[in-house]
Amino acid sequence: MKKQIKNNVSWVGKVDWELQRFHGDEYSTHKGSTYNSYLIQEEKTVLIDTVWAPFADEFVQNLASEIPLEKIDFIIANHGEVDHSGALPALMEHIPATPIYCTANAVTSLKGQYHKDWNFKVVKTGDTLDIGNGKSLVFVEMKMLHWPDSMATYMTGDNILFSNDAFGQHYATDRLYNDLVDQCDLFSEAVKYYANILTPFSGILAKKLEEVLALNLSIDIIATSHGVIWRDNPLQIVQKYAQWAANYKENKITVIYDTMWNGTKTLAESIADGIRSADPEVALSVHNLAKSDENDLITGVFTSKTVVIGSPTVSNSILHSIAGFLHLAKEMKFKEKKAAAFGCYGWSGESVKVLNGLLSEAGFEIIGEGFRNQWNPDESARARAFEFGKQIARA
Ligand code: FEO
């Protein structure tokens, strides 16, 4: 259903209430998502992005009920990823000659995915497209935010930045705008989205934000491709991104472990008690990885100054759950975070050494040598783990 955003600009996207996993199974979306597509009806009619492939037919039908499809003069593909381009094949069946404006990399992406030679018009930063009524579209390449093909499109006159993935959230809502939804839900999804999707590109993002701000564009609305549209103080999310891109951390320590017979779990709790006793102010949370959501834990790592990771020794190494999580953490390229390792063992006892190696490779500054305990922790081992927690809090 078409919903007016401002003047002749409308939302024509899809709310995906039941989405639970995104990027295959890589990203948990507890609150669903939206695929935001926008229709501009000035002297020229413009479609900005489409929706994910499973909703292609519904999208095209809805669009055709609003306007004759052949009235679409231009399509803007801000990003080639399938959640935004997925309805292009169905749409282009109806209007095969309509020009698609996108970056050179997006041509590669779209051709690679759909194997169609559509009427691509390559644009780069600063290029403009006149859409009549004194308004135009200005393109801004957003390379690596988060794919090499990403771009944003700014509409003059109405001062709308169609930012695509940037500033988005996987958050299904029919309220459409940032001021109409629960703010805790909104910001917890926005930071999760940043932590899991954009953290690896924080350096690039910081430079891009400076570049966009230097353009001195008046921005009344940031129309993202996922979640809400920022209309109330839209620059608040830009300011948040600037903070998040600057190696963000709060006064927070996150303890993450997996355990076989609860020995490592016992250590985790004693370490946490030690941290708390040494620092009554620090935010502290303890998670059994096997019973937690990895993307939520990545968000926890993102917001923490220190992470404490535990695994028992198994087969001269660590549990594969923890190994997989540390692989994911390495992908995120976290900077300026500390880490400490711990774990129980029965025989050979390599887990702490392996953890220290993986944490170091993932860019964490290692606190001490770690803490390991043979067999089940007794009172003395728990006391030493408590002391180790105090050492972490003071590091
Ligand atoms: Fe929402 Fe990179 O796609």
Side-chain angles (χ1 to χ4, degrees), residues 210-225:
E210 279 172 23
E211 187 187 314
V212 171
L213 292 172
L215 294 173
N216 274 327
L217 302 173
S218 240
I219 297 176
D220 294 343
I221 289 176
I222 296 178
T224 69
S225 61

Side-chain angles (χ1 to χ4, degrees), residues 22-23 79 81 83-84 146-147 164-165 170 193 225-226:
F22 187 77
H23 279 162
H79 181 26
E81 195 164 7
D83 50 326
H84 309 295
H146 66 123
W147 272 16
N164 196 262
D165 282 329
H170 286 304
Y193 189 96
S225 61
H226 296 293

Side-chain angles (χ1 to χ4, degrees), residues 176-193:
L176 214 56
Y177 299 108
N178 67 308
D179 51 305
L180 299 184
V181 299
D182 182 283
Q183 297 300 291
C184 284
D185 285 351
L186 171 57
F187 279 96
S188 78
E189 289 304 327
V191 72
K192 177 176 176 176
Y193 189 96

Side-chain angles (χ1 to χ4, degrees), residues 17 30 72 81 90 121 153 172 192 211 220 227 230 268 279 301 303 307 320 355 364 368 381:
W17 296 101
H30 308 309
I72 298 173
E81 195 164 7
K121 305 285 186 194
T153 299
K192 177 176 176 176
E211 187 187 314
D220 294 343
W230 301 88
D279 187 347
V301 174
T303 52
V307 293
H320 77 273
L355 287 171
F364 292 89

Side-chain angles (χ1 to χ4, degrees), residues 133-390:
N133 297 331
K135 299 176 185 178
S136 60
L137 299 178
V138 184
F139 303 107
V140 183
E141 289 170 87
M142 303 279 275
K143 196 169 181 182
M144 295 319 296
L145 300 172
H146 66 123
W147 272 16
D149 66 293
S150 300
M151 73 169 185
T153 299
Y154 176 73
M155 180 180 176
T156 67
D158 289 344
N159 301 341
I160 302 174
L161 181 69
F162 298 97
S163 62
N164 196 262
D165 282 329
F167 313 122
Q169 335 85 46
H170 286 304
Y171 183 20
T173 175
D174 59 354
R175 307 301 299 275
L176 214 56
Y177 299 108
N178 67 308
D179 51 305
L180 299 184
V181 299
D182 182 283
Q183 297 300 291
C184 284
D185 285 351
L186 171 57
F187 279 96
S188 78
E189 289 304 327
V191 72
K192 177 176 176 176
Y193 189 96
Y194 187 98
N196 283 272
I197 294 180
L198 289 162
T199 305
F201 313 112
S202 283
I204 299 169
L205 180 73
K207 288 200 189 84
K208 182 54 72 173
L209 288 179
E210 279 172 23
E211 187 187 314
V212 171
L213 292 172
L215 294 173
N216 274 327
L217 302 173
S218 240
I219 297 176
D220 294 343
I221 289 176
I222 296 178
T224 69
S225 61
H226 296 293
V228 298
I229 294 164
W230 301 88
R231 70 172 179 186
D232 176 47
N233 183 13
L235 291 184
Q236 66 178 301
I237 190 62
V238 180
Q239 286 154 3
K240 278 282 178 206
Y241 266 47
Q243 287 174 12
W244 292 338
N247 301 330
Y248 184 77
K249 52 183 169 294
E250 298 170 7
N251 183 25
K252 177 174 170 183
I253 298 177
T254 298
V255 181
I256 298 169
Y257 67 93
D258 199 353
T259 193
M260 291 168 73
W261 299 112
N262 287 341
T264 300
K265 173 184 173 175
T266 301
L267 294 185
E269 292 178 355
S270 296
I271 290 168
D273 288 343
I275 292 169
R276 171 58 71 229
S277 82
D279 187 347
E281 300 300 321
V282 72
L284 174 66
S285 61
V286 181
H287 308 269
N288 181 331
L289 175 63
K291 300 178 194 301
S292 307
D293 180 284
E294 288 191 331
N295 302 112
D296 292 338
L297 291 187
I298 284 291
T299 312
V301 174
F302 175 75
T303 52
S304 293
K305 60 180 183 181
T306 300
V307 293
V308 190
I309 305 280
S311 170
T313 296
V314 57
S315 303
N316 308 110
S317 188
I318 58 174
L319 290 172
H320 77 273
S321 54
I322 293 286
F325 184 74
L326 289 178
H327 180 84
L328 185 57
K330 184 180 176 186
E331 279 179 32
M332 294 303 121
K333 300 186 172 70
F334 291 119
K335 292 194 173 61
E336 295 183 12
K337 293 192 190 293
K338 293 182 174 160
F342 66 98
C344 273
Y345 66 101
W347 304 106
S348 55
E350 294 91 340
S351 74
V352 167
K353 187 173 168 204
V354 172
L355 287 171
N356 279 338
L358 292 175
L359 284 164
S360 185
E361 274 176 36
F364 292 89
E365 181 192 331
I366 308 298
I367 300 170
E369 292 179 358
F371 182 83
R372 63 184 198 137
N373 178 69
Q374 192 167 20
W375 302 113
N376 226 17
D378 58 9
E379 196 174 327
S380 148
R382 290 200 297 273
R384 283 183 284 113
F386 184 88
E387 286 303 315
F388 182 60
K390 285 164 76 175

